[in-house]
Amino acid sequence: MLGRLKGHTSVVSGVNFLGPDGRTAITASRDGTVRIWNTTDPAHPVERDTLPLSSGGVFSALPLSAHGTIITYSQDMTVDIWNTDLPWTLAHACGQVRAPISRAEWSRHFPGLDYRPPCTGRPRPGHSAAGRGTSGAGSSVHQGR
């Protein structure tokens, strides 16, 4: 045995690798979570993220061809598409934001973390730095639930 991925609290119903390099594994469980693992060192895998699905047990999580994108399907017959590539997600999420997060909102969602709104001063896709729309339409992003 090279290593063990620990963390799920029910039956693991799916395991796949995300990308061709074998450094990231995704596991799905009947506990209602999908876990993303850094498996660069198989003897010491590190949980990178957990996607809690409100729909209940997850049958499987499958990688899609887009970098960092996975698809999940659950026992309540829902199918969700998730993008786990943080730089891509931030760039596209900022394109959907009308105003930066306020200090009060930040405190409510990120208690104990210093206020650092992610989209301040960042040009949004489909917009010029001055904030006027360009000829390209902004893209719509679905980040799961």
Side-chain angles (χ1 to χ4, degrees):
M1 177 172 73
L2 293 176
R4 180 169 287 169
L5 307 174
K6 296 180 186 177
H8 287 293
T9 59
S10 188
V11 175
V12 174
S13 54
V15 179
N16 279 288
F17 281 96
L18 186 61
D21 62 9
R23 294 182 184 158
T24 304
I26 52 176
T27 57
S29 173
R30 300 286 172 131
D31 67 7
T33 64
V34 170
R35 295 177 189 262
I36 302 169
W37 306 87
N38 179 331
T39 56
T40 301
D41 179 359
H44 302 96
V46 176
E47 184 178 336
R48 199 180 85 196
D49 204 356
T50 300
L51 307 175
L53 293 126
S54 60
S55 59
V58 180
F59 286 130
S60 193
L62 304 169
L64 296 178
S65 60
H67 180 69
T69 303
I70 61 175
I71 189 166
T72 60
Y73 53 98
S74 304
Q75 65 188 19
D76 70 349
M77 296 179 267
T78 59
V79 176
D80 293 312
I81 299 172
W82 304 78
N83 189 306
T84 62
D85 182 351
L86 185 58
W88 184 93
T89 301
L90 283 174
H92 287 81
C94 289
Q96 305 300 314
V97 174
R98 295 189 197 284
I101 188 170
S102 71
R103 283 188 182 276
E105 291 168 324
W106 183 273
S107 294
R108 186 172 55 249
H109 296 290
F110 309 108
L113 293 179
D114 291 338
Y115 177 64
R116 294 182 313 159
C119 298
T120 303
R122 184 182 302 216
R124 300 179 306 178
H127 293 79
S128 69
R132 293 182 301 271
T134 63
S135 59
S139 58
S140 177
V141 177
H142 174 63
Q143 293 298 109
R145 296 185 191 281

